[in-house]
Every structure is written in C-alpha cells, then in structure tokens.
Amino acid sequence: MSRARTAVVAVVALALAGAAAALTGCDQAQQRAGEIVASATGAVASAAQEKMNEVKDGVNAARDVRAGPVSTDGDRTVAEVTATNPDDKDADYTIWVNFRDDRGNLLDAVVLNVNGVGPGASGTGTARSNRALSGATEAEIAQALRH
C-alpha cells in the first residue's frame, strides 16, 4: 500500500474510532440523564407520600376521586381532579396524582387538596406538574384520603 493510501486509511480509522467514542459518550450521557430524571421523579414521589402521611384520620377515598384528561397550562401539564363526597357531612380531600407517559413510566407526582366538599356534592381541583413534561401523558389517582 502506498504511503498516501496508508495515511488516508489511518485518518479514516481514527475518524471512525472518534465517532464511535462520541456515540458511546452520547449514549452514556443519555443514560446518565435518564438516571438523574428517575432519581428526581423518585424524590417527588417520596415527597408526595410524605404529604399523604401528614393527613390524620383520613379514610381511603380513591373511589370518590377521578382525574380528567390532561392538558397544558403554559409549560406545565395539568389535569382537573373531581372529588364526589358520598358522606353526610362536609369533607376535605387530599389527593396524590401521578403523571405517567404512554408506557406507564412515572414522570411526576403532585398532591393537591379539594376542601369543603358538601354531602353528595362534588368539588374540583387542578393537579399541576412540577416541571415541563413532554410526550403523551396521563393523570392517575395514586391515593386519595377523605378527612
């Protein structure tokens, strides 16, 4: 092989090796970013659980509460949450809402209160994501307490 041809082959080989290293680095960066998001999301879910644990004398009210379809408000994802009180006295609701992607992955979690819902009446509140979410997103009731 000629010297010029050997030099060209060496340059091409180095370029391919560099591209492979860059792609590997990119994959690693994407993986690390995913780990950071998962960690942050886990922390948000943990904070939501702590908020729910603060409610004293609450009863499971998951059957009383429904999350509506999601929409956007500015850069946040929102869902209207409706609590229907089957009891014979006014009730307050503390509601944990998860936002999930179309594969079921947890994207965010929020806790909201719907207060002063009369007997047989419904009250509404808005679950608002803590950060901008992208892609198809659904809201689900993770836990609801009537107190």
Side-chain angles (χ1 to χ4, degrees):
M1 202 181 294
S2 74
R3 249 178 136 178
R5 193 173 221 191
T6 301
V8 169
V9 169
V11 168
V12 169
L14 285 172
L16 289 173
L23 289 175
T24 300
C26 186
D27 288 346
Q28 289 173 347
Q30 286 178 336
Q31 180 179 355
R32 182 67 183 134
E35 290 169 358
I36 291 168
V37 169
S39 177
T41 303
V44 168
S46 179
Q49 184 62 64
E50 287 179 24
K51 282 283 202 193
M52 297 303 291
N53 291 343
E54 292 175 6
V55 176
K56 301 300 179 210
D57 300 321
V59 297
N60 183 354
R63 293 183 306 174
D64 301 352
V65 180
R66 299 284 177 260
V70 298
S71 60
T72 56
D73 181 16
D75 67 341
R76 302 293 192 230
T77 299
V78 296
E80 185 173 278
V81 177
T82 303
T84 303
N85 182 2
D87 211 352
D88 60 358
K89 60 183 177 188
D90 285 1
D92 297 330
Y93 288 83
T94 302
I95 306 158
W96 174 354
V97 178
N98 286 331
F99 290 100
R100 295 192 180 273
D101 67 15
D102 57 355
R103 294 179 303 187
N105 297 313
L106 180 63
L107 301 174
D108 202 357
V110 298
V111 174
L112 70 138
N113 292 306
V114 178
N115 295 320
V117 181
S122 294
T124 60
T126 301
R128 181 178 176 82
S129 67
N130 295 298
R131 58 187 177 80
L133 305 177
S134 62
T137 307
E138 291 184 12
E140 70 173 12
I141 304 302
Q143 185 178 5
L145 298 172
R146 184 176 62 241
H147 49 99

